[in-house]
């Protein structure tokens, strides 16, 4: 099957399948992040899971509510998980890396305007 350049190399069928599976995947992610704890939907809180039409809204709102440092830690932990690092170790290593990066930034002397 020829690749469709408009969809980053996916065939039309692959792209359509991804579009169908995307809401399911996003609901699972939102459930794993326990976004239901902060959700305005009663059925999500009752089910203790994302039950909305699209988990992107829940997980997006959850991520926007986090500090920049926590979002950076999440991103780093996800990168580490993709590299094969196990769950808790990925999170702890992400925290260490972000803390090290933050310390490096704080060590840079600010130039005074003159």
């Amino acid at each position: 099957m020829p690749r469709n350049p408009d969809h980053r190399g996916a065939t039309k069928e692959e792209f359509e399948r991804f579009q169908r599976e995307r809401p399911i995947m996003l609901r699972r992610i939102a459930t794993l992040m326990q976004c239901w704890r902060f959700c305005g939907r009663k059925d999500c809180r009752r089910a203790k899971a994302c039950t909305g039409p699209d988990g992107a809204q829940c997980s997006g709102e959850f991520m926007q509510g986090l500090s920049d440092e926590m979002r950076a830690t999440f991103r780093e932990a996800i990168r580490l998980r993709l590299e094969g690092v196990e769950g808790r170790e990925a999170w702890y290593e992400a925290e260490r890396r972000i803390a090290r990066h933050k310390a490096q930034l704080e060590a840079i002397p600010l130039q005074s305007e003159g």
Side-chain angles (χ1 to χ4, degrees), residues 70-82:
M70 187 60 74
R71 274 196 302 276
T73 304
F74 261 102
R75 282 193 299 271
E76 189 62 27
I78 290 168
R79 264 189 231 117
L80 288 164
R81 290 288 289 144
L82 291 172

Side-chain angles (χ1 to χ4, degrees), residues 33 35 38-39 56-72 74-75:
M33 292 189 325
C35 295
F38 313 101
C39 186
Q57 179 182 358
C58 295
S59 57
E61 289 175 9
F62 174 76
M63 292 299 280
Q64 289 303 314
L66 299 176
S67 67
D68 291 341
E69 185 176 338
M70 187 60 74
R71 274 196 302 276
F74 261 102
R75 282 193 299 271

